[in-house]
Amino acid sequence: MADNAARTPLMAGNWKMNVNHVEAVHLLQKLSWTLQDKKHDFERVEVAVLPPFTDIRSVQTLVDGDRMKIVYGAQDVSEHDAGAYTGDISAAMLTKLGCTYVLAGHSERRQYHHEDDALVNAKATKALAAGLVPIVCVGEGLEVRKADGHVEHCLGQVDGALAGLKPDDVRKIVIAYEPVWAIGTGEVATPEDAQEVCAAIRGRLEEISPAVADSVRILYGGSVKMSSAGGIMAQPDVDGCLVGGASLQVDEFAGICRYLDLQLGYSS
Ligand SMILES: O=C(CO)COP(=O)(O)O
């Protein structure tokens, strides 16, 4: 089993299609003040926000201006470099906006925009080439879970997303396990459910190399709340959370980011 002490936990807030650029400034400012008040150690737990494209320039200006330690990224990226791709946003544009992370293959993109593993692989490849860290999302639907096919399904998505990538590139990637039946439903996976799939993904990474398995952070996402974060983060193969709805509530998301303090009994 890989040693997760080597991997800095990452709490990433996926704001999805919520919060305009004015609201984004207020939300991010409040999150920053809240974490600052609680003396959050960003070296101990990394905090990222993933706003809609229209907010990123405002987020960049605030993060740079206030020298915030919160990092940020985008929720999607084009598989193309540049050109006649109406509506697309290129990886280079996101790099220019100071993004650190970009989601690839979120279940809502797979569902509503018919993104398949090959497209996710192309997006992750473009993100890496532009110096971004792709957060590759995998996860099964309820029917697959009921048929006990969830591990095989997620490993197939991991294989598809990582196809053709060099081990040194794979080491840079973050993988997020987000069971679709837990997204937005309030049905958070149990820590054991999360660990089962994250451990299987870790095992698949071990097949590439122990160094890859040790480097890649594997997140859990799906109805994470302050009350569930500690149990999920106690799992050896879970290195963070990808948080949707709760990331729009500052105190809840700050509490998720401060799961270590809460485990030690500090006030929320
Ligand atoms: O999709 C998710 C994060 O990317 C999870 O969303 P919820 O936390 O709202 O279930």
Side-chain angles (χ1 to χ4, degrees), residues 14 16 106 178 182-184 222-223 242-245:
N14 175 10
K16 303 192 182 182
H106 189 281
E178 293 202 305
I183 295 175
S223 295
L242 184 53
V243 183

Side-chain angles (χ1 to χ4, degrees), residues 99-122:
C99 289
T100 300
Y101 294 104
V102 62
L103 293 179
H106 189 281
S107 63
E108 288 150 6
R109 300 292 308 175
R110 292 174 188 262
Q111 180 182 357
Y112 303 125
H113 298 271
H114 315 297
E115 296 193 358
D116 60 13
D117 291 338
L119 181 54
V120 173
N121 176 254

Side-chain angles (χ1 to χ4, degrees), residues 49-64:
V49 294
L50 307 173
F53 288 130
T54 54
D55 302 0
I56 297 178
R57 176 59 182 144
S58 305
V59 164
Q60 178 185 32
T61 303
L62 180 58
V63 167
D64 292 351

Side-chain angles (χ1 to χ4, degrees), residues 9 11 45 229-230 233 254-264:
M11 294 302 185
V45 179
M233 289 304 292
I256 291 167
C257 297
R258 297 181 49 251
Y259 74 96
L260 285 172
D261 293 336
L262 299 184
Q263 280 176 344
L264 294 171

